[in-house]
Amino acid sequence: MRLSKSSVVVLDRDGVINEDSPDFIKTPAEWHALPGSLEAIARLHHAGITVVVATNQSGVGRGLLSIDTLWDIHRKMLAEVSAAGGYIDRIFFCLHGPDEGCECRKPKPGLLYQAAEYLACGLENMIVIGDSARDLESAVVVGARPILVRTGKGQAAEKELLGNARFSGLEVFDDLAGAVDSLLRELH
């Protein structure tokens, strides 16, 4: 699926938009945008592409941060995206831990179903950009277009996915800016 004005770009948060941490991002002060990511979101916005975020945030379920603090982190992200000229239409998140068996925690596709319902768009119109196998697995399950970035956990995910037939032809870019540059060339 090529990028079009009816496409929705679904971004993972940690490791794609901002620096990741094995200890979780627990406060707004710990949230730091990756170089070029805010500007990349702005380029998508200016091209008329809808951008949403779909992110696992089990730190809330684990008691590492409150839902209010998560919203404070998201407000910081949205403010920085806006200051760069971009816009994120909605943030979809899963608060469950990996052993809770929910349908929304990636690699399960629940967050993508939520986004499709909210935006009234087909899953086949989604382009999912992530830095982990679980991000991309959720895309493949619903027929969305997966794109891997090497930031965050992306280099390890690339090695993990090499040779996996489900991911043959997977597009891989150094960062969100590179992925967006490539996508925007498809509009012309």
Side-chain angles (χ1 to χ4, degrees):
M1 193 266 306
R2 292 176 52 88
L3 182 72
S4 70
K5 296 289 184 176
S6 64
S7 297
V8 173
V9 174
V10 181
L11 303 176
D12 179 48
R13 193 190 83 180
D14 301 335
V16 175
I17 300 172
N18 58 278
E19 295 173 2
D20 201 357
S21 169
D23 299 320
F24 298 88
I25 305 300
K26 300 178 294 302
T27 68
E30 295 175 358
W31 190 94
H32 302 284
L34 287 166
S37 67
L38 304 177
E39 296 80 7
I41 294 168
R43 288 196 304 279
L44 288 169
H45 174 64
H46 291 291
I49 306 301
T50 299
V51 178
V52 299
V53 171
T55 178
N56 290 344
Q57 291 298 321
S58 67
V60 175
R62 298 170 197 243
L64 300 175
L65 68 154
S66 69
I67 189 72
D68 291 336
T69 301
L70 178 62
W71 277 115
D72 290 342
I73 293 166
H74 287 164
R75 277 190 281 279
K76 178 181 180 180
M77 175 180 69
L78 293 172
E80 291 193 20
V81 167
S82 179
Y87 183 75
I88 293 173
D89 193 87
R90 182 110 179 205
I91 303 169
F92 300 90
F93 52 86
C94 171
L95 305 177
H96 304 105
D99 300 324
E100 292 186 52
C102 69
E103 292 300 313
C104 53
R105 183 176 172 78
K106 297 180 283 181
K108 294 198 176 168
L111 294 177
L112 297 181
Y113 286 127
Q114 289 175 31
E117 181 178 347
Y118 171 76
L119 297 165
C121 76
L123 294 160
E124 70 280 358
N125 289 329
M126 290 185 168
I127 299 168
V128 177
I129 302 177
D131 70 319
S132 70
R134 71 173 163 243
D135 295 330
L136 304 185
E137 183 67 32
S138 69
V140 169
V141 166
V142 299
R145 177 178 170 185
I147 295 178
L148 179 68
V149 292
R150 292 185 179 107
T151 49
K153 299 178 182 86
Q155 291 179 358
E158 184 177 16
K159 291 176 186 169
E160 177 184 342
L161 297 173
L162 281 176
N164 183 328
R166 294 189 76 195
F167 294 97
S168 65
L170 177 66
E171 299 167 87
V172 182
F173 297 93
D174 287 339
D175 55 20
L176 182 57
V180 168
D181 288 344
S182 179
L183 285 171
L184 291 177
R185 284 193 289 274
E186 296 175 14
L187 287 177
H188 306 319

